[in-house]
Amino acid sequence: MLSSKTSRISVGVACLVAAIAGASASAVAAESDTAVPSYQEFKASTYQDVDGAYVVNGDEIVSGNKQLKEFYDKVVAPQSMHDGLIVNTVGGVDDKWSASQVANLTYCVSTKFGTRHDDIVAAMATGGGLWEAASSKVNFVYVPAQDGKCTTRNKNVLFSVEPVQTTQYIARAFFPSSPKSQRNVLVDDSIWSSGSWTPGDVLGHELGHTLGFRHEHTRPESGTCFEDNNWRPLTPYDSSSIMHYPQCNGGSANLKFQASDAEGVRALYGS
């Protein structure tokens, strides 16, 4: 749980797993009168993952101190809300894969999942299949031959799917702009006890991030859980989007793929 002072500018650890326990993710910049913490206070309170990345906005990552400072500066700076699935932007440019790369999103699933390995393989196929069914341009390619050496150091795949033990999130992913050293989907065992949030849908949400999609609830229409303005709208706001946390004034208690999600991926990558 973030201190009231620090929570003013971040929902960094108000993540999916916290929501199941009934925790609120509504501590955001626009909704508090508490003082803005210093960067050092913010950094000290932000969860740093096993690979050194900082986890912000629940299940998104920034790569290091420089990017964390940039994130901090953008969040505490005066905001101008956009009207309008939304895509992440970097320097005003859409954070997306090239046409050739999005057709070949190769990944491995670590054997360190043990007895749950095949279950993760199936959940990844389900999650990836949601986006693939919406756009013929998107293709997640499982490469089982790389499972025994499935880490971010494996250059034979674009990203790895690895187990993690944490209370900070159920799963987290990355954006297309993330460096290779942080292109992984990390999955905690709590994915198997997430109530109505099925493993396939949780990983569908995370794979949405890998395609460049942001949390839908950062849009002003949500009224809570604001993150930042580094995004571009692709579709009208949908509170039931798979990219919208249910606990952030979501229109559904479940993480389910919607027609708006399909429309968004086609708008970004084509039909």
Side-chain angles (χ1 to χ4, degrees):
M1 192 73 167
L2 295 179
S3 70
S4 60
K5 187 176 183 182
T6 304
S7 65
R8 184 183 189 278
I9 63 167
S10 176
V11 291
V13 294
C15 53
L16 293 175
V17 69
I20 295 172
S24 171
S26 62
V28 291
E31 298 184 345
S32 174
D33 294 326
T34 55
V36 175
S38 68
Y39 172 66
Q40 292 304 321
E41 290 173 321
F42 170 66
K43 179 181 177 182
S45 73
T46 302
Y47 179 69
Q48 191 167 19
D49 219 333
V50 291
D51 56 4
Y54 289 96
V55 179
V56 299
N57 297 334
D59 61 351
E60 300 170 3
I61 61 171
V62 293
S63 299
N65 186 68
K66 182 176 182 291
Q67 287 193 11
L68 186 66
K69 182 61 165 62
E70 291 172 351
F71 173 86
Y72 170 88
D73 290 340
K74 289 172 182 175
V75 172
V76 301
Q79 304 294 338
S80 58
M81 291 291 193
H82 294 277
D83 291 323
L85 220 45
I86 61 178
V87 63
N88 189 49
T89 58
V90 178
V93 178
D94 289 351
D95 191 359
K96 59 181 286 191
W97 300 107
S98 66
S100 59
Q101 187 65 81
V102 80
N104 190 37
L105 301 169
T106 57
Y107 68 91
C108 56
V109 177
S110 174
T111 55
K112 292 182 180 179
F113 281 106
T115 58
R116 283 293 194 179
H117 177 268
D118 290 350
D119 295 328
I120 290 290
V121 170
M124 281 291 294
T126 298
L130 297 172
W131 301 101
E132 292 169 333
S135 171
S136 64
K137 308 299 183 182
V138 175
N139 189 25
F140 288 97
V141 181
Y142 173 42
V143 186
Q146 302 302 320
D147 287 355
K149 45 189 175 182
C150 188
T151 70
T152 56
R153 295 185 297 275
N154 190 330
K155 296 182 180 179
N156 294 312
V157 290
L158 185 68
F159 69 96
S160 56
V161 183
E162 304 173 58
V164 69
Q165 292 184 337
T166 182
T167 59
Q168 300 297 318
Y169 52 77
I170 295 173
R172 70 94 163 137
F174 59 93
F175 289 122
S177 59
S178 299
K180 180 65 170 74
S181 62
Q182 291 170 354
R183 283 186 201 154
N184 53 11
V185 176
L186 298 183
V187 185
D188 181 72
D189 273 348
S190 56
I191 197 172
W192 310 115
S193 56
S194 300
S196 62
W197 299 358
T198 68
D201 287 337
V202 170
L203 290 178
H205 173 99
E206 298 306 328
L207 291 177
H209 288 316
T210 73
L211 290 170
F213 301 122
R214 288 288 302 276
H215 289 139
E216 185 79 351
H217 51 256
T218 195
R219 295 165 72 145
E221 295 93 329
S222 171
T224 188
C225 298
F226 174 74
E227 296 170 355
D228 61 53
N229 280 323
N230 300 315
W231 49 268
R232 179 177 70 85
L234 298 167
T235 67
Y237 172 70
D238 185 355
S239 63
S240 295
S241 166
I242 195 172
M243 301 308 296
H244 196 301
Y245 282 180
Q247 69 269 30
C248 294
N249 286 343
S252 170
N254 299 316
L255 288 173
K256 293 296 182 184
F257 197 81
Q258 305 295 325
S260 60
D261 298 318
E263 182 184 348
V265 71
R266 289 193 291 267
L268 189 61
Y269 289 110
S271 300

